[in-house]
Amino acid sequence: LLFCACLLASGASHAKSVIQSQFNHLGPAMHSLEAPSGRQLAYLDEGKKDWQVVVFVGGSGTSGRAFAMLEFLRQTRHNLELRFIAVERNGFGTTAFDDTLGYPDYAEDVEAVLAHLGVREFSLFAISGGSPYAGVIAARNSARLLSVHLASSLTWWDPANLQCTLPASALTCYSEDPVAWFEFAPESPVHRIPGFQDAAFDDAARTFNMGGQAGDPAALHHEFQLYCQPQLPDLAAVTAPV
């Protein structure tokens, strides 16, 4: 209907010269894969098949589609010919929650997706709370790594920290209010990026609701508890630039 309205408003002859021949990009598409464990994995794969692969791990409490918040640099990514692959974590977005899973299980999920896509070598890029997961991926795949980048990386929390002692019910203020979870301060430089704050709100809503969680904080609390366990991986075998 919108397309027809555009034609009527502009006139058919003029429309022939201004109407685009292809659809514009509306953000990364999510795909589904059954892992060897039988679990359903959600992942995205953005970029041409022959571009350099970058495995992206988003920050705490983000869905697999959090990569959309980096697409303000989409043209640069295309110029650099980078293909990004992101696998959604336990209990967020459309991925079912299992309170028995930890960092190694997520690394196995990533490896399953890479095997499905026929990817051998890759770079690794993680933000904030995604960094502990990336550390385990790096330790398990050191021979496959081209480079590693950890942005504002979290390693672990002291078990005495408040975040480690809060019950799951204390996190409903975030899971039931995605705006509270992902609202940036007025002075934050992210506001220079058109639409970034709204994209962050959209991902928070997806994270805590898309799979029918209805604001259940269980997955977020489980992730926080993982950060409270000092189980840093041995990265001695990683020789890629970090």
Side-chain angles (χ1 to χ4, degrees):
L1 291 176
L2 177 61
F3 181 75
C4 293
C6 289
L7 288 176
L8 291 173
S10 61
S13 59
H14 180 61
K16 290 180 181 179
S17 62
V18 299
I19 298 299
Q20 63 200 60
S21 59
Q22 298 181 3
F23 294 124
N24 287 333
H25 187 69
L26 290 181
M30 298 300 295
H31 309 283
S32 180
L33 172 69
E34 183 174 323
S37 64
R39 293 192 311 112
Q40 287 297 125
L41 307 179
Y43 71 95
L44 62 81
D45 180 6
E46 289 291 302
K48 295 183 179 179
K49 302 305 179 185
D50 60 343
W51 289 0
Q52 179 178 327
V53 170
V54 181
V55 171
F56 171 73
V57 188
S60 305
T62 56
S63 80
R65 206 170 184 269
F67 172 72
M69 289 190 287
L70 300 183
E71 286 291 69
F72 59 89
L73 290 176
R74 185 167 185 264
Q75 186 57 58
T76 297
R77 176 171 65 81
H78 279 220
N79 292 343
L80 294 172
E81 298 187 349
L82 298 178
R83 173 188 176 189
F84 273 71
I85 295 171
V87 181
E88 194 161 68
R89 295 205 296 277
N90 180 28
F92 298 135
T94 60
T95 303
F97 177 57
D98 183 339
D99 64 5
T100 68
L101 303 182
Y103 298 134
D105 301 287
Y106 180 71
E108 288 180 8
D109 290 346
V110 170
E111 290 160 3
V113 170
L114 294 179
H116 172 70
L117 297 175
V119 172
R120 172 59 188 167
E121 294 184 324
F122 60 93
S123 291
L124 187 57
F125 173 34
I127 295 176
S128 187
S131 297
Y133 295 90
V136 175
I137 295 170
R140 291 168 55 106
N141 297 275
S142 58
R144 305 171 62 181
L145 291 178
L146 299 173
S147 62
V148 179
H149 182 82
L150 305 179
S152 301
S153 58
L154 171 71
T155 51
W156 70 291
W157 284 330
D158 187 316
N161 282 0
L162 177 63
Q163 296 97 322
C164 299
T165 58
L166 288 173
S169 58
L171 300 177
T172 57
C173 60
Y174 295 130
S175 59
E176 294 181 356
D177 183 4
V179 170
W181 175 244
F182 233 148
E183 184 172 26
F184 291 89
E187 65 273 14
S188 173
V190 303
H191 295 296
R192 296 166 56 190
I193 304 168
F196 186 91
Q197 177 65 94
D198 289 297
F201 289 154
D202 287 347
D203 187 72
R206 179 186 182 91
T207 296
F208 299 122
N209 292 279
M210 183 62 76
Q213 302 95 323
D216 187 344
L220 184 63
H221 182 258
H222 179 69
E223 181 153 272
F224 279 11
Q225 292 304 302
L226 290 179
Y227 299 148
C228 300
Q229 302 171 25
Q231 49 180 323
L232 300 178
D234 182 359
L235 298 174
V238 176
T239 58
V242 177

